[in-house]
Amino acid sequence: MQIITEPGLMQAAVEKLRLNRQRIAVVMTMGALHEGHLSLVEKARSIAGTVIMTIFVNPKQFGPDEDFHRYPRPFEQDAAHAKAAGVDYLFAPSPEAVYPEGFQTTIHAGAIAEGFEGTKRPGHFNGVATVVTKLLQITKPHAAIFGEKDAQQLAVILRMVRDLNIDVDIVSSPVVREKSGLAVSSRNIYLSREQRESASVLFRGIRQAGMELEKKRTDLAAIAEEIRAMIEREPECRPDYVSFVDDRSFITAETAEPEREYRLLIAAWAGTVRLIDNRLFKT
């Protein structure tokens, strides 16, 4: 595995790969690699001959009160995991390399980014859209793999790629879960044993939603409120939002219609750790 830190060198490397007709897939991460990230690498290896992983803790997607400086950065461990997983190139630039002095161009993510995580984290998705565009320009992949756990982020990226005619296939990969059902996340390391146990209520809520929809219930808002109440009953947890949305527009859906796809979005606090989860349902 080759580690590259300069954008120009990464662009030169992928240009040679493309001239040799290599299909390239990229997995973008902020490091602190876990099973979820490695599942994206596995997906990438199944569809491309060359896999690039990026590790970059993007300052532009963190708010002033968020954990940018506390975010884990175990680079040597991450590099070992990436190599073992079969990554061919690890692109790990500094913030100064990605955002050089005088940088001023950003992408506005639009309406799809305004609710839910966009409301809770103002400017977050503009930072995501900007860095993803930059990393796509630097790594020049044929495909980019993103996890469904960050469902709104995935929706923003899909919309951006369509709107800007970016020549890349965006490939989604399912949520990876712990035995309890808790979605794997870099922030899970901050959970105590009791908080981790309580946080499994997010997945229990998702399963409960599935059972209610199997009964042909159409009152999505009422189901969401029932799941919120489940979370509130957990001593270590408190809900942030619970809502069904149309999977394409991310507009809140109150009532289900036949032959449609709706995504249940959940955000909740376990102690001081904010967790998100989701699942797509077809009616």
Coordinates of all heavy atoms in Angstrom, one line a residue, residues 80-139:
A80 N -2.5 0.4 9.2 CA -2.4 -1.0 9.3 C -3.7 -1.7 8.9 O -3.7 -2.7 8.2 CB -1.9 -1.4 10.7
H81 N -4.8 -1.2 9.4 CA -6.1 -1.8 9.0 C -6.4 -1.6 7.5 O -6.9 -2.6 6.9 CB -7.2 -1.1 9.8 CG -7.3 -1.4 11.2 ND1 -7.1 -2.7 11.7 CD2 -7.5 -0.7 12.4 CE1 -7.2 -2.8 13.0 NE2 -7.5 -1.6 13.4
A82 N -6.0 -0.5 7.0 CA -6.3 -0.3 5.5 C -5.4 -1.2 4.7 O -5.9 -1.8 3.7 CB -5.9 1.2 5.2
K83 N -4.2 -1.4 5.1 CA -3.3 -2.3 4.3 C -3.8 -3.7 4.4 O -3.9 -4.4 3.4 CB -1.9 -2.2 4.8 CG -0.9 -3.1 4.1 CD 0.5 -2.9 4.6 CE 1.5 -3.7 3.8 NZ 2.9 -3.5 4.4
A84 N -4.2 -4.2 5.6 CA -4.7 -5.5 5.8 C -6.0 -5.8 5.0 O -6.3 -6.9 4.5 CB -4.9 -5.8 7.3
A85 N -6.8 -4.7 4.8 CA -8.1 -4.8 4.1 C -7.9 -4.8 2.6 O -8.9 -5.1 1.9 CB -9.0 -3.7 4.5
G86 N -6.7 -4.5 2.1 CA -6.5 -4.6 0.7 C -6.5 -3.2 0.0 O -6.6 -3.2 -1.2
V87 N -6.4 -2.1 0.7 CA -6.3 -0.8 0.1 C -5.0 -0.7 -0.6 O -3.9 -1.1 -0.1 CB -6.4 0.3 1.2 CG1 -6.1 1.7 0.6 CG2 -7.8 0.3 1.8
D88 N -5.0 -0.1 -1.8 CA -3.8 0.0 -2.6 C -3.1 1.4 -2.4 O -1.9 1.5 -2.4 CB -4.2 -0.1 -4.1 CG -4.8 -1.4 -4.4 OD1 -4.1 -2.4 -4.3 OD2 -6.0 -1.5 -4.8
Y89 N -3.9 2.4 -2.2 CA -3.4 3.8 -2.0 C -4.1 4.4 -0.8 O -5.4 4.4 -0.8 CB -3.6 4.7 -3.2 CG -2.8 4.3 -4.4 CD1 -3.2 3.4 -5.3 CD2 -1.5 4.9 -4.7 CE1 -2.5 3.0 -6.4 CE2 -0.7 4.5 -5.8 CZ -1.2 3.5 -6.7 OH -0.5 3.2 -7.8
L90 N -3.4 4.9 0.1 CA -4.0 5.7 1.2 C -3.6 7.1 1.1 O -2.5 7.5 1.1 CB -3.4 5.1 2.6 CG -4.0 5.8 3.8 CD1 -5.5 5.7 3.9 CD2 -3.3 5.2 5.1
F91 N -4.7 8.0 0.8 CA -4.4 9.4 0.6 C -4.8 10.1 2.0 O -5.9 10.1 2.4 CB -5.3 9.9 -0.5 CG -5.2 11.4 -0.7 CD1 -3.9 12.0 -1.0 CD2 -6.3 12.2 -0.8 CE1 -3.8 13.3 -1.2 CE2 -6.2 13.6 -1.0 CZ -4.9 14.1 -1.2
A92 N -3.8 10.7 2.6 CA -4.0 11.3 3.9 C -3.4 12.7 3.9 O -2.3 12.9 4.5 CB -3.3 10.4 5.0
P93 N -4.1 13.6 3.4 CA -3.5 15.0 3.3 C -3.7 15.8 4.6 O -4.5 15.4 5.4 CB -4.4 15.6 2.2 CG -5.7 15.0 2.3 CD -5.4 13.5 2.7
S94 N -3.0 16.8 4.7 CA -3.2 17.8 5.9 C -4.3 18.7 5.5 O -4.6 18.9 4.3 CB -1.9 18.6 6.1 OG -1.6 19.4 5.0
P95 N -4.9 19.4 6.5 CA -5.9 20.4 6.2 C -5.3 21.5 5.3 O -6.1 22.0 4.4 CB -6.2 21.0 7.6 CG -5.9 19.9 8.5 CD -4.7 19.2 8.0
E96 N -4.1 21.9 5.4 CA -3.5 22.9 4.6 C -3.4 22.5 3.1 O -3.4 23.3 2.2 CB -2.1 23.3 5.1 CG -2.1 24.0 6.5 CD -2.3 23.0 7.6 OE1 -2.1 21.8 7.4 OE2 -2.7 23.4 8.7
A97 N -3.2 21.2 2.9 CA -3.1 20.7 1.5 C -4.5 20.7 0.9 O -4.6 20.9 -0.3 CB -2.6 19.2 1.5
V98 N -5.5 20.4 1.6 CA -6.9 20.4 1.1 C -7.4 21.8 1.0 O -8.1 22.2 0.0 CB -7.8 19.5 1.9 CG1 -9.3 19.6 1.4 CG2 -7.3 18.1 1.9
Y99 N -7.2 22.6 2.0 CA -7.7 24.0 2.0 C -6.5 25.0 2.1 O -6.2 25.5 3.2 CB -8.6 24.2 3.2 CG -9.8 23.3 3.2 CD1 -10.0 22.4 4.2 CD2 -10.7 23.3 2.2 CE1 -11.0 21.5 4.3 CE2 -11.8 22.4 2.2 CZ -12.0 21.6 3.3 OH -13.0 20.7 3.3
P100 N -5.8 25.2 1.0 CA -4.6 26.1 1.0 C -5.0 27.5 1.3 O -6.2 27.9 1.3 CB -4.0 25.9 -0.4 CG -5.2 25.5 -1.2 CD -6.0 24.7 -0.4
E101 N -4.0 28.3 1.7 CA -4.2 29.7 2.0 C -5.0 30.4 0.9 O -4.7 30.3 -0.3 CB -2.9 30.4 2.2 CG -3.0 31.9 2.7 CD -1.7 32.5 3.0 OE1 -0.6 31.8 2.9 OE2 -1.7 33.7 3.3
G102 N -6.0 31.1 1.3 CA -6.8 31.8 0.3 C -8.0 31.1 -0.2 O -8.8 31.6 -1.0
F103 N -8.2 29.8 0.3 CA -9.3 29.0 -0.2 C -10.6 29.7 0.1 O -10.8 30.1 1.3 CB -9.2 27.6 0.5 CG -10.3 26.7 0.0 CD1 -10.1 25.9 -1.1 CD2 -11.5 26.6 0.7 CE1 -11.1 25.0 -1.5 CE2 -12.5 25.7 0.3 CZ -12.3 24.9 -0.8
Q104 N -11.5 29.7 -0.8 CA -12.8 30.4 -0.6 C -14.0 29.9 -1.3 O -15.1 30.3 -1.1 CB -12.7 31.9 -0.9 CG -12.3 32.2 -2.4 CD -12.0 33.7 -2.6 OE1 -13.0 34.4 -2.8 NE2 -10.8 34.0 -2.7
T105 N -13.8 28.8 -2.1 CA -14.9 28.2 -2.9 C -15.5 27.1 -2.1 O -14.9 26.1 -1.8 CB -14.4 27.8 -4.3 OG1 -13.8 28.9 -4.9 CG2 -15.6 27.3 -5.1
T106 N -16.9 27.1 -1.9 CA -17.6 26.0 -1.2 C -18.8 25.7 -2.0 O -19.3 26.4 -2.9 CB -18.0 26.4 0.2 OG1 -18.8 27.6 0.1 CG2 -16.7 26.7 1.0
I107 N -19.4 24.5 -1.7 CA -20.6 24.1 -2.4 C -21.8 24.2 -1.4 O -21.7 23.8 -0.2 CB -20.5 22.6 -2.8 CG1 -19.5 22.6 -4.0 CG2 -21.8 22.0 -3.3 CD1 -19.2 21.2 -4.6
H108 N -22.9 24.8 -1.9 CA -24.1 24.8 -1.1 C -24.9 23.6 -1.4 O -25.3 23.4 -2.5 CB -24.9 26.1 -1.4 CG -26.2 26.2 -0.7 ND1 -26.2 26.4 0.7 CD2 -27.5 26.1 -1.1 CE1 -27.5 26.5 1.1 NE2 -28.3 26.3 0.0
A109 N -25.2 22.8 -0.3 CA -25.8 21.5 -0.6 C -27.3 21.6 -0.9 O -27.8 20.6 -1.5 CB -25.6 20.6 0.7
G110 N -28.0 22.6 -0.6 CA -29.4 22.7 -1.1 C -30.4 22.2 -0.1 O -30.1 21.8 1.0
A111 N -31.7 22.1 -0.6 CA -32.8 21.8 0.3 C -32.7 20.5 1.0 O -33.2 20.3 2.1 CB -34.1 21.9 -0.5
I112 N -32.1 19.5 0.3 CA -32.1 18.1 0.9 C -31.2 18.1 2.1 O -31.3 17.2 2.9 CB -31.5 17.1 -0.2 CG1 -31.9 15.7 0.1 CG2 -30.0 17.3 -0.4 CD1 -31.7 14.8 -1.0
A113 N -30.4 19.1 2.3 CA -29.5 19.2 3.5 C -30.0 20.0 4.6 O -29.3 20.2 5.6 CB -28.1 19.7 3.0
E114 N -31.2 20.6 4.5 CA -31.7 21.6 5.4 C -32.3 21.0 6.7 O -32.2 21.7 7.7 CB -32.6 22.5 4.7 CG -31.9 23.4 3.7 CD -32.9 24.3 2.9 OE1 -34.1 24.2 3.2 OE2 -32.5 25.1 2.0
G115 N -32.9 19.9 6.6 CA -33.6 19.3 7.8 C -32.7 18.3 8.6 O -31.5 18.1 8.2
F116 N -33.2 17.9 9.7 CA -32.5 16.8 10.4 C -31.1 17.1 10.8 O -30.8 18.1 11.5 CB -32.7 15.5 9.7 CG -34.1 15.2 9.4 CD1 -34.6 15.4 8.1 CD2 -34.9 14.7 10.4 CE1 -36.0 15.1 7.9 CE2 -36.3 14.5 10.2 CZ -36.8 14.7 8.9
E117 N -30.1 16.4 10.3 CA -28.7 16.7 10.6 C -28.3 18.1 10.1 O -27.5 18.8 10.8 CB -27.7 15.7 10.0 CG -27.9 14.3 10.6 CD -27.6 14.3 12.1 OE1 -26.5 14.5 12.5 OE2 -28.6 14.1 12.8
G118 N -28.9 18.6 9.1 CA -28.6 19.9 8.6 C -29.1 21.0 9.5 O -28.5 22.0 9.7
T119 N -30.2 20.8 10.2 CA -30.7 21.7 11.2 C -29.9 21.6 12.5 O -29.6 22.7 13.1 CB -32.2 21.4 11.5 OG1 -33.0 21.5 10.3 CG2 -32.8 22.3 12.6
K120 N -29.6 20.4 12.9 CA -28.8 20.2 14.1 C -27.4 20.7 14.0 O -26.7 21.1 14.9 CB -28.8 18.8 14.5 CG -30.2 18.2 14.8 CD -30.9 18.9 15.9 CE -32.3 18.4 16.1 NZ -33.0 19.0 17.3
R121 N -26.8 20.6 12.7 CA -25.4 21.0 12.5 C -25.3 21.9 11.3 O -25.0 21.5 10.2 CB -24.6 19.7 12.2 CG -24.8 18.6 13.3 CD -24.1 17.3 12.9 NE -22.6 17.5 12.9 CZ -21.8 16.6 12.5 NH1 -22.2 15.4 12.1 NH2 -20.5 16.8 12.6
P122 N -25.7 23.2 11.5 CA -25.7 24.2 10.4 C -24.3 24.2 9.7 O -23.3 24.3 10.3 CB -26.0 25.5 11.2 CG -26.7 25.1 12.4 CD -26.1 23.8 12.8
G123 N -24.4 24.2 8.4 CA -23.2 24.2 7.6 C -22.5 22.9 7.4 O -21.6 22.8 6.5
H124 N -22.9 21.9 8.1 CA -22.3 20.6 8.1 C -22.2 20.0 6.6 O -21.2 19.6 6.2 CB -23.0 19.6 9.0 CG -22.5 18.2 8.9 ND1 -21.3 17.7 9.3 CD2 -23.2 17.1 8.3 CE1 -21.2 16.4 9.0 NE2 -22.3 16.0 8.4
F125 N -23.4 20.0 6.0 CA -23.4 19.3 4.7 C -22.8 20.2 3.6 O -22.3 19.6 2.6 CB -24.9 19.0 4.3 CG -25.4 17.8 5.1 CD1 -26.5 17.9 5.9 CD2 -24.7 16.6 5.0 CE1 -27.0 16.8 6.6 CE2 -25.2 15.5 5.8 CZ -26.3 15.6 6.6
N126 N -22.7 21.5 3.8 CA -21.9 22.3 2.8 C -20.4 21.8 2.9 O -19.7 21.7 1.9 CB -22.0 23.8 3.1 CG -23.4 24.3 2.8 OD1 -24.2 23.6 2.1 ND2 -23.8 25.4 3.4
G127 N -20.0 21.6 4.2 CA -18.6 21.1 4.3 C -18.4 19.8 3.8 O -17.3 19.5 3.2
V128 N -19.4 18.9 3.9 CA -19.3 17.5 3.4 C -19.2 17.6 1.8 O -18.4 17.0 1.2 CB -20.5 16.7 3.8 CG1 -20.5 15.4 3.0 CG2 -20.4 16.4 5.3
A129 N -20.2 18.4 1.3 CA -20.2 18.4 -0.2 C -18.9 19.0 -0.8 O -18.5 18.5 -1.8 CB -21.4 19.3 -0.6
T130 N -18.4 20.0 -0.1 CA -17.2 20.6 -0.6 C -16.0 19.6 -0.6 O -15.3 19.5 -1.6 CB -16.8 21.9 0.2 OG1 -17.9 22.8 0.1 CG2 -15.5 22.5 -0.3
V131 N -15.8 19.0 0.6 CA -14.6 18.1 0.6 C -14.8 16.8 -0.2 O -13.8 16.4 -0.8 CB -14.4 17.7 2.1 CG1 -15.3 16.6 2.6 CG2 -12.9 17.2 2.3
V132 N -16.0 16.3 -0.4 CA -16.2 15.2 -1.2 C -15.9 15.6 -2.7 O -15.3 14.8 -3.4 CB -17.7 14.6 -1.1 CG1 -18.0 13.6 -2.2 CG2 -17.9 14.0 0.2
T133 N -16.4 16.7 -3.1 CA -16.0 17.2 -4.5 C -14.5 17.3 -4.7 O -14.0 16.9 -5.7 CB -16.7 18.5 -4.7 OG1 -18.1 18.4 -4.6 CG2 -16.4 19.0 -6.2
K134 N -13.8 17.9 -3.7 CA -12.4 18.0 -3.8 C -11.7 16.6 -3.9 O -10.8 16.4 -4.7 CB -11.8 18.8 -2.6 CG -12.2 20.3 -2.6 CD -11.0 21.1 -2.0 CE -9.8 21.1 -2.9 NZ -8.7 22.0 -2.4
L135 N -12.1 15.7 -3.0 CA -11.5 14.4 -3.0 C -11.8 13.6 -4.3 O -11.0 12.8 -4.7 CB -12.0 13.6 -1.7 CG -11.4 14.2 -0.4 CD1 -12.0 13.4 0.8 CD2 -9.9 14.1 -0.3
L136 N -13.0 13.8 -4.8 CA -13.3 13.2 -6.1 C -12.4 13.7 -7.2 O -11.9 13.0 -8.1 CB -14.8 13.4 -6.5 CG -15.8 12.6 -5.7 CD1 -17.2 13.0 -6.1 CD2 -15.6 11.1 -5.8
Q137 N -12.1 15.0 -7.2 CA -11.3 15.6 -8.2 C -9.8 15.2 -8.0 O -9.1 15.0 -9.0 CB -11.3 17.2 -8.0 CG -12.6 17.8 -8.4 CD -12.8 17.8 -9.9 OE1 -13.3 16.7 -10.5 NE2 -12.5 18.8 -10.6
I138 N -9.4 14.9 -6.8 CA -8.0 14.5 -6.5 C -7.8 13.0 -6.8 O -6.8 12.6 -7.4 CB -7.7 14.8 -5.1 CG1 -7.6 16.3 -4.9 CG2 -6.3 14.2 -4.7 CD1 -7.5 16.7 -3.4
T139 N -8.8 12.1 -6.4 CA -8.6 10.7 -6.6 C -9.2 10.2 -7.9 O -8.9 9.0 -8.3 CB -9.3 9.9 -5.4 OG1 -10.7 10.2 -5.4 CG2 -8.7 10.3 -4.1

